[in-house]
Structures are given as structure tokens and as C-alpha cells.
Amino acid sequence: MSGTVEASRRRTQHSANGKASEQEEQPAQWGRAWEVDWFSLISVIGLLCFAPFIVFYFVMACDQYQCSVSQPLLELFRGETTLLSIWARAPSFTWSAAKIYAIWVAFQVFLYMCVPDVTHKFIPGYVGGVQEGARTPAGLINKYEVNGLQCWLITHALWYANAQHFHWFSPTIAFDNWIPLMWCANILGYAVSSFAFIKAYLFPTNSEDCKFTGNVFYNYMMGIEFNPRVGKWFDFKLFFNGRPGIVAWTLINLSYMAKQQELYGHVTNSMILVNVLQAIYVLDFFWNEAWYLKTIDICHDHFGWYLGWGDCVWLPYLYTLQGLYLVYHPVQLSNGHALAVLLLGLVGYYIFRSTNHQKDLFRRTEGSCSIWGRKPAYIECAYRSADGGAHRSKLLTSGFWGLARHFNYTGDLMGSLAYCAACGFGHVLPYFYIVYMTILLVHRCVRDEHRCGSKYGKDWKRYTDAVPHRLIPGVF
């Protein structure tokens, strides 16, 4: 979408006596309408209380039950074990893990805050440095220091230097401290979420971009402040969405690979596939971090537990289940199976990236571009921000965006399935990721379209008539 500020549109209508009268056509109002019913409230409280134990269950299943998801439940049902005995056998919080985690987070804060991006000056095509985000509901445009790719490169260069030369720590450090580190991540996740919650009441960065629902639990989970910041540059959403979780993603996979080598004397092709395909996704995220400033996470979500805890715990622990599984169950795929997984992952990535590129190109050029060799088609929309300003946007209906309204998610799901299929078909645990991503992205479709319907009003109906399907052309 490409938006430009202009006055409210007017149209001339003729009355019954033939005289022209000017009537203002009101744009739709931009903003999220949060309705907290009893089902939503119970779901929120349940997630706040039990989500950490869902993560614990999957990791514990690998640690104690060779990645069997059903075995712990069966033993509990038959009375062969108890919740307390399972809990007692699992590693607990350690000060050693706390030290490792504190150093990790502090190092990422240092890179984010103190090392301005220079990579955009010598890497052709990369957009880094100070960039502007999208307009907030209050009508503001924030600036960001985009240096995620640089942080990733520095971190992984140091990891490689340590593994090859310095030997400050073992390459298997993440795996060896995995459950104790999980408790440290939980502490940070709840701490930063609680700080953002209190900050929104006492000293918000911008009070006009705060959203209160009247329900304290929903406020805590979904967030109140749109862009909480400390100082000029430390933006909570950008830091916790991108670092420390996503920078850690590839390092965690490398730790799993090192552990597989240590235990079995070799690394399987399935482990290599998981590392390569997920590294492509992570590198794509950081290469396009400036584009990410215009996505749903930054443009629409307020910062609360959903993002704060989710980025600290849910992402690094459940998005890396395939590598964890392959440490306990090394799988050597046939050449045909490996090739099929690789092709599925690469085609999914191509669709994901090409779809996003088309939208970004259309937005940057305000429609003055070519998509699939043709001038792009679009729906022009009007909306009003909370400050009363009237704005215009264009919704692309050409290329992949003419096939489905969220075709980038379709490519994302293909890549997610490839990660899981790399693990073979021996256990259900590696497939949690594709199940979760399907639920997440379908839910995002619904959330995004609810917001767009509120934002664009009748113009959104014109768009959905032009592009009737959400994810799969002709199906859904």
C-alpha cells in the first residue's frame, strides 16, 4: 500500500431542483476495536498462565521421552508417573545459565544501540541505517536504526571465531543449557512485558498511540503502547521482534548441529537442510528489515506479552524444534526425499519473497512500476487517522496479490512444511511448527482483514470483491 496525505474527498451531486450540492465523503476510521468477551478473556488468562508450560512440555518431551509427545500423557493416565516427578527430573534454573543469557541479551542490546549500521554503505541493494516506519494510528511516523543484518553478521562471525580459534565456550552451549536457559528467557519475557504495561500507564512514549480496553488482562497480553521506547532509539518492538530471538535462531540450530556431530560423529543431511532453509528465512528477515517496518507486527500490533514473551520464549524454543528433534533422532534422508524437501522450501521462499517484493515495489513507486510485465492494477482507498487527518492508500491487485490477499503467507507455509518434512515421519513433534504456523497465519489473515475493514470501510469490500480468496486461489 502506498499512502499520501490529502484533503477529504468531495463529490458533486445534483439535487431534485437541478442545483449542484457538495457533499463530503467521509473516509473510514482507522483504529482497532477490541471487544473482550468472556471467551477471549478466558483464553487470555489461560495463555498467560499456561503458555510457558506448553513450551516446557515440548522441550521436556525431548529431554525425558525421546521427543514422544504422547508418552508423558500416557504415563500420567496410567499412573506410572506424576507431574511432580516429571518436573523434578527436568533441569531447573541455574546461575550459570542466567550468566550466559544475561551476556547474550546485553551483547545484542550493545549491537543494537551502540553500533550504527555501516553495511548498507558497501553491500549493494541492502537498505539499512536510519529508516522511517509506517504511519501510526495517531498519525506519527517513527524513525528506526535498521542494523539487524549487521548484528547477525557480527554475532555469527564471533561464533565462528570462537569455534575455530578462541574456544571461550563450547559450540553446543545452547543445547547443553537448553532448559535452564528457557527459564531465564521466561523471566525476561514476563519482565519486559510487565515493564511495558506499567510504562503505558505512568510514562507512555506517546499517549495518543495507547489503546486501553478496560480489561487489565487483555491490556497486559495484547499491549497498550503502540511503540514503547526508552530514549530516542531503543524501540521495544523492533528490538524484541528481531533481537535477541531471531539472531539466536540460527545459532541455536548450529548448536544442535554441533551436538549431533559430538554424539554420532557425523551430521545428517536432514540437519543440514533444516539449518540451510531456516538460515535463508532468517537472513531474508534481516536483509529486508526496513521492509519489515511496514508489516503487521510493527504497523498494527501494540507491544505487550504477546510480542514481549513470545519473542523471548515461544519463537526461539518452538521454532527450533526440528533441530532439537534431530539431535535425539538423527535422520538420514534418501536423495529423493532430501531433494523434494529442498525444492519445497526454495519454492515456498520464492513465493514468499516475490510476493512481498511486489508489494514493496508497488508501495515505493506509488504504483509506477511493472509487475509480471504489466502496469499494476489496484484499488484506491481512503481512511482517517486518529488525529483527524485524511489519507489515501492503494491496495495492489496484480501479480501474486491478484491470486490471493495473503499469498505471501502461502509461501511461508510451504517453507514451514519443508522444515518439518526434513525430519521424516517418525514423530509428530517436528510437525507442531506447521500446525502452529497455519493457525497463526490464518488468524493473522482474520485480524488483518478485520482491521482493514475498519480502516478502509466500503473500499475494503471493493478490494475483497476484486481478490476473493485469502490464501489458496479457488479454495480459501
Side-chain angles (χ1 to χ4, degrees):
M1 289 177 287
S2 174
T4 57
V5 180
E6 55 181 57
S8 298
R9 293 181 296 172
R10 298 176 182 272
R11 63 183 178 187
T12 301
Q13 296 184 333
H14 293 276
S15 60
N17 60 12
K19 293 182 180 179
S21 64
E22 201 173 56
Q23 183 180 29
E24 185 171 330
E25 184 178 315
Q26 293 290 341
Q29 181 67 41
W30 187 10
R32 292 194 293 176
W34 287 349
E35 295 134 6
V36 187
D37 54 29
W38 281 105
F39 177 78
S40 299
L41 179 59
I42 292 170
S43 300
V44 165
I45 295 174
L47 281 172
L48 290 174
C49 294
F50 297 110
F53 298 101
I54 295 173
V55 178
F56 170 76
Y57 183 85
F58 281 101
V59 179
M60 175 278 301
C62 282
D63 184 61
Q64 298 184 28
Y65 293 92
Q66 288 293 301
C67 297
S68 172
V69 176
S70 60
Q71 191 62 29
L73 297 176
L74 290 173
E75 290 191 6
L76 285 168
F77 178 76
R78 290 189 284 228
E80 297 172 3
T81 190
T82 65
L83 290 173
L84 288 177
S85 64
I86 291 175
W87 182 267
R89 292 199 302 268
S92 60
F93 172 88
T94 66
W95 288 109
S96 175
K99 180 181 177 181
I100 294 169
Y101 195 72
I103 292 172
W104 166 251
V105 175
F107 181 60
Q108 292 306 312
V109 171
F110 169 77
L111 292 179
Y112 176 68
M113 291 292 295
C114 303
V115 187
D117 185 75
V118 297
T119 54
H120 69 281
K121 296 181 179 180
F122 58 85
I123 299 181
Y126 172 65
V127 178
V130 178
Q131 298 293 327
E132 290 185 345
R135 188 181 307 277
T136 73
L140 302 176
I141 296 179
N142 291 306
K143 291 187 176 182
Y144 298 83
E145 175 67 40
V146 174
N147 63 355
L149 180 63
Q150 179 173 274
C151 294
W152 189 91
L153 290 170
I154 293 172
T155 302
H156 284 70
L158 289 175
W159 176 275
Y160 178 81
N162 169 76
Q164 296 297 317
H165 303 290
F166 300 116
H167 308 295
W168 294 321
F169 54 85
S170 170
T172 64
I173 188 171
F175 178 89
D176 296 337
N177 295 275
W178 200 221
I179 293 182
L181 285 171
M182 182 182 67
W183 301 126
C184 299
N186 270 281
I187 292 170
L188 177 62
Y190 276 92
V192 73
S193 304
S194 299
F195 176 78
F197 178 76
I198 295 169
K199 178 182 180 299
Y201 284 96
L202 300 181
F203 49 99
T205 302
N206 185 344
S207 58
E208 293 181 358
D209 269 327
C210 290
K211 181 75 173 182
F212 295 89
T213 66
N215 186 287
V216 66
F217 295 105
Y218 203 85
N219 286 345
Y220 182 80
M221 178 175 179
M222 298 306 297
I224 299 170
E225 276 202 82
F226 195 72
N227 289 106
R229 292 189 167 199
V230 173
K232 182 179 179 181
W233 292 109
F234 189 84
D235 184 272
F236 279 58
K237 263 202 291 192
L238 184 60
F239 178 78
F240 284 100
N241 269 311
R243 283 89 72 186
I246 296 185
V247 173
W249 188 344
T250 40
L251 291 183
I252 292 166
N253 281 341
L254 288 173
S255 183
Y256 291 153
M257 182 183 286
K259 194 66 180 182
Q260 197 182 70
Q261 175 69 40
E262 178 185 293
L263 291 174
Y264 309 108
H266 68 279
V267 176
T268 62
N269 59 1
S270 56
M271 179 68 85
I272 294 172
L273 276 172
V274 167
N275 270 261
V276 169
L277 291 175
Q278 293 188 351
I280 290 172
Y281 182 89
V282 170
L283 279 170
D284 176 89
F285 174 86
F286 287 122
W287 182 270
N288 296 285
E289 191 174 18
W291 161 84
Y292 180 70
L293 299 178
K294 306 292 191 342
T295 62
I296 186 172
D297 289 341
I298 301 294
C299 292
H300 298 292
D301 287 336
H302 291 230
F303 187 86
W305 178 89
Y306 175 78
L307 290 180
W309 179 86
D311 291 325
C312 289
V313 183
W314 190 270
L315 187 156
Y317 275 83
L318 295 189
Y319 286 24
T320 60
L321 279 177
Q322 290 77 36
L324 181 65
Y325 170 83
L326 291 171
V327 173
Y328 291 92
H329 293 277
V331 175
Q332 185 67 26
L333 302 173
S334 67
N335 291 338
H337 188 161
L339 180 60
V341 168
L342 180 62
L343 288 176
L344 177 63
L346 292 179
V347 171
Y349 171 73
Y350 171 78
I351 293 173
F352 170 78
R353 175 45 42 217
S354 297
T355 306
N356 287 326
H357 173 71
Q358 288 177 358
K359 184 177 181 179
D360 185 54
L361 177 65
F362 178 76
R363 180 193 292 123
R364 284 188 288 106
T365 63
E366 297 189 358
S368 300
C369 60
S370 174
I371 293 178
W372 287 359
R374 298 179 181 179
K375 184 178 179 180
Y378 57 87
I379 302 293
E380 191 159 358
C381 305
Y383 67 94
R384 190 181 296 280
S385 54
D387 63 355
H391 310 278
R392 299 280 288 276
S393 278
K394 297 180 178 73
L395 300 180
L396 180 63
T397 60
S398 286
F400 285 119
W401 295 97
L403 299 179
R405 300 195 293 269
H406 305 275
F407 207 64
N408 53 334
Y409 290 169
T410 305
D412 205 354
L413 289 173
M414 292 173 65
S416 300
L417 180 59
Y419 308 159
C420 303
C423 298
F425 307 103
H427 283 75
V428 71
L429 181 139
Y431 288 85
F432 169 82
Y433 186 73
I434 183 61
V435 173
Y436 165 72
M437 288 299 292
T438 301
I439 295 171
L440 173 71
L441 294 180
V442 170
H443 183 241
R444 278 197 173 194
C445 289
V446 174
R447 282 198 301 139
D448 189 37
E449 295 191 5
H450 174 74
R451 275 193 293 265
C452 288
S454 299
K455 178 176 179 178
Y456 296 121
K458 64 182 181 182
D459 289 334
W460 180 250
K461 177 65 168 58
R462 293 169 53 219
Y463 173 69
T464 56
D465 287 343
V467 187
H469 295 99
R470 284 174 168 153
L471 282 172
I472 304 174
V475 179
F476 173 73

